[in-house]
Amino acid sequence: MNNKESIIDTIKREITGIKTDAKVAHTGRVTKFADGVVTISGLGNVAYNEMLDFIDSKGMTIQGVALNLEEDSVGAILLGDGSGIKEGGVVNSTGQTLSVNVDDSVIGRVLGGLGTSKDGGPEIKSATRYPLEKIAPGVITREGVNQPMHTGIKAIDAMIPIGRGQRQLIIGDRQTGKTAIAIDAIIHQKREKTPTICVYVAIGQKESKVAQLVERLKKEGAMDYTVIVSASASDPAALQYLAPFTGCTIAEYFMAQGKDVLVIYDDLSKHAWAYRQISLLLKRPPGREAYPGDVFYLHSRLLERAGRLSKEFGGGSITALPIIETQLGDISAYIPTNVISITDGQVFLETELFFKGIRPAINVGLSVSRVGSSAQVKAMKKVSGGMKLDLAQYRSLEAFAQFGSDLDPATKRQLDRGSRLTELLKQSQFAGQSFEEQAIAIYAISKGFADVVEVSKIREYEAKLISFLRTSHKEIIESVHKENQMIEATENSLKEIIADFTTNYFNK
């Protein structure tokens, strides 16, 4: 037995080049520094994602993170200004995994990529630090996604429903309204009895854009339940890489308290660019489109942390809305296909529809929710059952009808109904609606009550109908809201009211 152990020790020494009983160093030296990436020698006792303390030429301490663990060196990224870092500088391992301070005081704040104050307020101080990297909840601890996460946007809540704990991708070209959908979803949460806590992560954006967003959320009263994590375009790539993990960690803190959280990553394309930059500087082998081989794992381990916990484990949830920017609508590119395969569905925004004035510019054919109607209330499920199919058929018929004017009555009726539904689904930004108002408006159009109304007046018809119900028949709206469905008595009353409104009020 002793001979066997001796042979094993000899093999270890030959492979590693060190003695098995040698003391491992806690201090190393900088051998190379460029663009925020540091190569360190002599630092033996260090782990992946461990925080390191760099001593600059002025004796100040700057934090970094170990990412590359090689045979004779360690590759790390700096988390601060590295202008004082010189070759030969001292580096100390801390024994702590990368983590951030989180407590209830983060609500209403604007934080940096590592949870530091960015709005001039006090730093977040907590008795416990939470790790940025964490294994996602297992299957046993999770529960099915069957509760709706309403966004206030008719096209999404009716046809591409999002549930609490779902990961729904928002994808499209630049300037097609991707962020607008996410912001509307945040603002709409104030309509809920208990507002869902929202975490918005801005990656690689202009500081001015983030400032405008914060002001808008304050104006709408949404900052009372929102946290902003911003790693702007002027911040180092390291902070842009870490910002989504910081946002996810904050979301997990509230999920552990049994609360529902909505986290938005805007956007993961820039996140992948930052990670590619870091990886290339660390001399990791480039793969497709120069991205490192683990870029899929980068996003999967982030998005897998979203989900809904069972009641035995607190009952909290994280709903993730990652955003991806495409080039010329190419959803078959590397990063888009990666994230599509990780998420539970996607909302695809099309440039052509956007410039036609159809906003939100959602392409019904390419958008899908894999959770489906199990995350819808019964009222919405009833009125929107065949809506997506009707719109898809309308789009194909519309293209066909351009080549001929002689159409049979059934086709013409289908085209007219489809054009009215398309007009109904147009919605201005910051004009979210409750699910009961959405359901009533869709019911009126889909059941043919508005067939006598001109297509150009459909949005006016919808607004006046809802206003009429609020003032004269409030009990109808309250019934749908309370029951989460249209019971038979309510539906019968609603038919009479809508018919009366269309004949005697709107067309008067």
Side-chain angles (χ1 to χ4, degrees):
M1 191 70 177
N2 289 338
N3 289 337
K4 186 177 180 181
E5 289 177 355
S6 177
I7 292 168
I8 292 172
D9 285 343
T10 303
I11 293 170
K12 283 182 179 179
R13 283 196 296 270
E14 289 175 354
I15 293 173
T16 61
I18 61 170
K19 295 180 180 179
T20 52
D21 58 349
K23 291 184 178 180
V24 185
H26 294 263
T27 301
R29 296 281 179 179
V30 175
T31 57
K32 188 178 179 181
F33 171 63
D35 297 318
V37 173
V38 188
T39 304
I40 308 160
S41 65
L43 193 65
N45 190 25
V46 67
Y48 177 77
N49 249 15
E50 183 175 333
M51 298 177 75
L52 306 175
D53 287 339
F54 292 81
I55 312 299
D56 68 7
S57 55
K58 296 179 182 179
M60 302 292 290
T61 301
I62 301 168
Q63 285 191 325
V65 185
L67 286 185
N68 263 23
L69 306 180
E70 299 178 10
E71 186 177 353
D72 54 358
S73 66
V74 173
I77 54 173
L78 284 180
L79 302 178
D81 180 20
S83 56
I85 300 296
K86 306 293 181 185
E87 289 186 11
V90 176
V91 186
N92 297 318
S93 60
T94 63
Q96 295 182 342
T97 305
L98 187 61
S99 56
V100 292
N101 287 320
V102 187
D103 58 25
D104 290 349
S105 66
V106 297
I107 294 178
R109 298 291 305 276
V110 181
L111 307 176
L114 258 181
T116 54
S117 173
K118 213 171 184 179
D119 55 5
E123 292 293 345
I124 306 300
K125 294 182 179 179
S126 173
T128 309
R129 291 178 66 88
Y130 287 78
L132 255 70
E133 294 273 11
K134 185 181 175 184
I135 296 174
V139 175
I140 302 300
T141 63
R142 294 184 185 235
E143 200 169 88
V145 176
N146 53 23
Q147 293 181 352
M149 170 65 72
H150 292 125
T151 64
I153 301 169
K154 291 191 288 283
I156 293 177
D157 292 344
M159 298 185 294
I160 319 155
I162 300 172
R164 297 185 187 275
Q166 188 173 340
R167 301 155 301 173
Q168 185 77 3
L169 173 63
I170 302 173
I171 185 169
D173 282 4
R174 189 170 177 270
Q175 298 292 326
T176 51
K178 300 186 296 298
T179 301
I181 286 178
I183 300 311
D184 277 357
I186 291 175
I187 292 171
H188 183 73
Q189 300 312 310
K190 68 183 178 183
R191 291 175 177 267
E192 304 293 328
K193 292 179 182 177
T194 305
T196 299
I197 294 169
C198 301
V199 181
Y200 178 83
V201 184
I203 309 161
Q205 297 183 22
K206 294 178 181 177
E207 293 279 10
S208 58
K209 184 181 177 182
V210 177
Q212 290 172 2
L213 168 65
V214 172
E215 287 305 311
R216 186 71 207 199
L217 292 177
K218 284 180 179 178
K219 183 180 177 181
E220 298 287 344
M223 281 302 286
D224 296 339
Y225 52 84
T226 303
V227 186
I228 306 290
V229 178
S230 173
S232 66
S234 58
D235 286 335
L239 290 180
Q240 294 181 44
Y241 154 62
L242 293 171
F245 294 98
T246 300
C248 190
T249 300
I250 292 171
E252 284 180 332
Y253 166 78
F254 290 108
M255 181 176 72
Q257 299 176 23
K259 297 178 180 178
D260 294 314
V261 189
L262 173 66
V263 58
I264 293 155
Y265 304 110
D266 190 9
D267 63 69
L268 292 188
S269 298
K270 293 186 179 71
H271 184 228
W273 297 347
Y275 187 60
R276 174 171 60 185
Q277 180 180 333
I278 291 168
S279 298
L280 291 174
L281 289 168
L282 286 168
K283 296 187 177 178
R284 292 180 177 177
R288 179 178 167 186
E289 296 181 24
Y291 288 104
D294 64 339
V295 72
F296 180 91
Y297 179 55
L298 169 75
H299 289 151
S300 67
R301 73 176 188 263
L302 171 70
L303 295 171
E304 285 293 338
R305 290 160 73 176
R308 183 171 170 226
L309 299 179
S310 60
K311 291 180 180 178
E312 292 79 5
F313 293 90
S317 72
I318 294 177
T319 307
L321 295 183
I323 295 174
I324 287 288
E325 182 180 307
T326 55
Q327 306 293 326
L328 298 175
D330 183 15
I331 59 173
S332 63
Y334 188 32
I335 300 302
T337 50
N338 277 355
V339 183
I340 285 171
S341 64
I342 295 166
T343 50
D344 305 311
Q346 68 272 350
V347 177
F348 180 70
L349 302 177
E350 192 173 4
T351 307
E352 186 180 343
L353 294 175
F354 185 85
F355 288 122
K356 277 184 179 178
I358 300 173
R359 301 176 187 179
I362 297 174
N363 183 312
V364 179
L366 293 176
S367 301
V368 66
S369 172
R370 296 186 185 99
V371 172
S373 60
S374 60
Q376 277 183 312
V377 295
K378 291 181 179 178
M380 187 63 80
K381 193 185 300 186
K382 180 174 184 176
V383 300
S384 65
M387 192 174 172
K388 190 173 181 183
L389 180 61
D390 289 344
L391 274 176
Q393 289 175 342
Y394 161 70
R395 293 275 161 83
S396 60
L397 279 174
E398 185 186 29
F400 175 75
Q402 291 176 351
F403 300 102
S405 57
D406 295 331
L407 300 172
D408 62 90
T411 303
K412 193 173 186 306
R413 188 166 54 251
Q414 195 169 5
L415 281 169
D416 289 342
R417 186 72 56 83
S419 60
R420 285 172 173 79
L421 273 176
T422 301
E423 192 67 24
L424 176 71
L425 294 177
K426 291 180 182 178
Q427 197 167 342
S428 303
Q429 194 176 2
F430 314 123
Q433 291 181 304
S434 63
F435 78 86
E436 57 269 24
E437 292 175 358
Q438 293 179 33
I440 290 169
I442 293 169
Y443 183 83
I445 303 298
S446 61
K447 293 296 181 182
F449 290 102
D451 285 356
V452 295
V453 180
E454 292 179 24
V455 174
S456 60
K457 292 185 176 181
I458 287 295
R459 294 178 73 185
E460 180 190 350
Y461 173 83
E462 177 202 7
K464 288 184 176 180
L465 172 62
I466 298 301
S467 177
F468 177 72
L469 287 167
R470 283 177 185 162
T471 52
S472 304
H473 299 279
K474 196 175 180 181
E475 71 282 357
I476 296 292
I477 294 177
E478 289 176 349
S479 171
V480 177
H481 178 79
K482 183 180 178 181
E483 302 290 339
N484 282 342
Q485 61 178 317
M486 284 187 191
I487 57 177
E488 187 176 351
T490 301
E491 185 178 356
N492 291 335
S493 299
L494 188 60
K495 285 178 182 177
E496 295 176 7
I497 292 166
I498 294 175
D500 177 50
F501 167 80
T502 306
T503 306
N504 299 321
Y505 291 89
F506 187 75
N507 283 330
K508 194 172 181 180

